Amino acid sequence: MTIISCIGQKGGGSKSTTARTLAAGFTEAGWKTHLADIDEKQQTSMKWCRRREEAGLPAIECGLYRRVDTAVKVKDQYHLLIIDGRPAAETTSMDVASESDVVIVSTGPTIDDLEPSLELGRELTMKGIPREKIVFLVAKTPSAAEGKKAQATIGAWGFKVLDATIRFQPAYGQALDGGRALFETPFKTLNDEARAMVEEIHDIINA
């Protein structure tokens, strides 16, 4: 049983996008996967799961939880539990991270996004989360060059960062609006880039 958490210091940092795409990717690969949405206010992942079901797409097992410890109770029923955390909630992020095998911090490439995300990573390590459990993902990058620059900054802080990046593309937003994952757009190049992220996480948890 593996637990992956997707957290972020700011809203709009693509943590829910990452969680949903991982859930779809691992489910497609045959893993018995559960997506736990612990943001009762936004319910981003839960609403996406409903849109996916309404669109007649392959179902993703999903649940809404008030507390992290409640979500974790279902872990033994699945191969993989993916937790979509609340933004800007340090206490919740710590609770989620402490229960996780892999902690994915999604961030945009700008300084305004990177600085609070890196501070979150440092705060987690200071509170006892092993640095090797934390993995950064650069998302919503306007170009490959901007993505590489952000990755270098993250690496300079001593954190692991995925080679894969998620570009800012309208087709990704349209896919999510329709209940689809990032690798379910009409465009092969975008799908391949999103699948690369899923495969990289797969390699990490199977290392």
Side-chain angles (χ1 to χ4, degrees), residues 12-33:
S14 295
K15 65 173 187 57
S16 294
T17 296
T18 304
R20 290 175 284 177
T21 296
L22 289 174
F26 277 91
T27 298
E28 180 184 75
W31 291 53
K32 186 171 176 58
T33 303

Side-chain angles (χ1 to χ4, degrees), residues 3-205:
I3 300 178
I4 297 175
S5 58
C6 298
I7 64 174
Q9 187 64 4
K10 297 177 64 176
S14 295
K15 65 173 187 57
S16 294
T17 296
T18 304
R20 290 175 284 177
T21 296
L22 289 174
F26 277 91
T27 298
E28 180 184 75
W31 291 53
K32 186 171 176 58
T33 303
H34 186 72
L35 177 56
D37 188 338
I38 60 170
D39 189 343
E40 286 188 297
K41 183 176 181 180
Q42 298 289 341
Q43 299 186 23
T44 302
S45 285
M46 275 299 300
K47 291 175 180 177
W48 173 81
C49 286
R50 293 191 196 105
R51 293 197 301 272
R52 188 173 179 86
E53 184 177 357
E54 290 166 0
L57 296 164
I60 304 296
E61 289 199 42
C62 189
L64 182 65
Y65 302 88
R66 178 184 298 178
R67 294 160 53 98
V68 176
D69 57 354
T70 305
V72 171
K73 286 179 180 178
V74 306
K75 67 180 182 179
D76 292 336
Q77 303 173 39
Y78 301 93
H79 300 135
L80 178 64
L81 174 63
I82 300 172
I83 302 176
D84 180 10
R86 300 186 192 102
E90 289 184 8
T91 300
T92 302
S93 294
M94 182 63 196
D95 291 343
V96 169
S98 65
E99 296 283 357
S100 302
D101 299 292
V102 179
V103 180
I104 302 174
V105 181
S106 300
T107 180
T110 66
I111 292 176
D112 286 345
D113 290 326
L114 281 171
E115 284 187 345
S117 297
L118 287 164
E119 289 292 349
L120 173 60
R122 183 162 65 180
E123 183 72 16
L124 291 176
T125 60
M126 289 175 64
K127 291 184 176 180
I129 301 301
R131 185 176 290 263
E132 58 268 22
K133 284 175 45 170
I134 302 172
V135 183
F136 278 76
L137 167 65
V138 179
K140 293 187 175 179
T141 181
S143 67
E146 289 296 314
K148 293 293 185 185
K149 183 179 177 182
Q151 288 171 330
T153 299
I154 294 165
W157 278 58
F159 288 107
K160 184 188 304 181
V161 58
L162 295 183
D163 290 330
T165 60
I166 302 299
R167 287 189 287 159
F168 179 77
Q169 291 288 334
Y172 282 147
Q174 292 162 8
L176 293 168
D177 287 349
R180 298 178 183 274
L182 294 188
F183 56 78
E184 295 174 324
T185 78
F187 305 104
K188 184 179 184 301
T189 299
L190 297 184
N191 295 345
D192 289 347
E193 290 178 9
R195 283 193 182 278
M197 181 271 287
V198 177
E199 289 167 5
E200 201 169 349
I201 294 297
H202 177 275
D203 290 344
I204 288 172
I205 65 178

